[in-house]
Amino acid sequence: LAMASQGVITVQPQFAVAQQPGHWQTGLMDCCSDCGVCLCGTFCLLCLSCQVAGDMDECCLCGSTVAMRTLYRTRYNIPGSIMGDFCSIMWCSPCSLCQLKRDINRRKEQGIF
């Protein structure tokens, strides 16, 4: 009987943090901002793809995929769409992959990766 007089909690308090919109650290065509990444993307795209996948703790074959770019973009709240990710990978794969690697490098330097 003593338990019947106590209120039953049916709703838990909620806490939400509004994530600020992010942005790419460099543009899609900013190859000159990191010549090492640009050269790697130009002459050994597979190596750069494996580096990106390794940075993201994913399979080596996943680095240059739409899913990887979308995962990264959503993780850092960078505006865009899956269609935009597809188009950048499909028509400008080296630039897209270089942008992703430059962004990873910059976020590592800032301590936010």
Side-chain angles (χ1 to χ4, degrees), residues 7-98:
V8 176
I9 298 173
T10 58
V11 178
Q12 292 292 322
Q14 300 294 316
F15 179 74
V17 176
Q19 194 175 20
Q20 296 295 324
H23 62 279
W24 289 105
Q25 303 288 318
T26 61
L28 188 63
M29 302 295 187
D30 287 342
C31 289
C32 293
S33 65
D34 190 332
C35 292
V37 170
C38 181
L39 290 171
C40 187
T42 301
F43 296 108
C44 191
L45 194 62
L46 184 59
C47 295
L48 187 61
S49 178
C50 287
Q51 287 177 19
V52 168
D55 289 337
M56 298 281 291
D57 292 327
E58 296 290 337
C59 171
C60 186
L61 302 176
C62 298
S64 61
T65 63
V66 174
M68 184 66 71
R69 187 172 174 88
T70 302
L71 172 70
Y72 187 83
R73 193 176 46 73
T74 55
R75 180 178 292 172
Y76 292 102
N77 203 26
I78 299 170
S81 66
I82 295 174
M83 181 57 88
D85 295 335
F86 171 79
C87 290
S88 65
I89 292 289
M90 187 68 177
W91 289 298
C92 199
S93 189
C95 294
S96 177
L97 196 57
C98 286

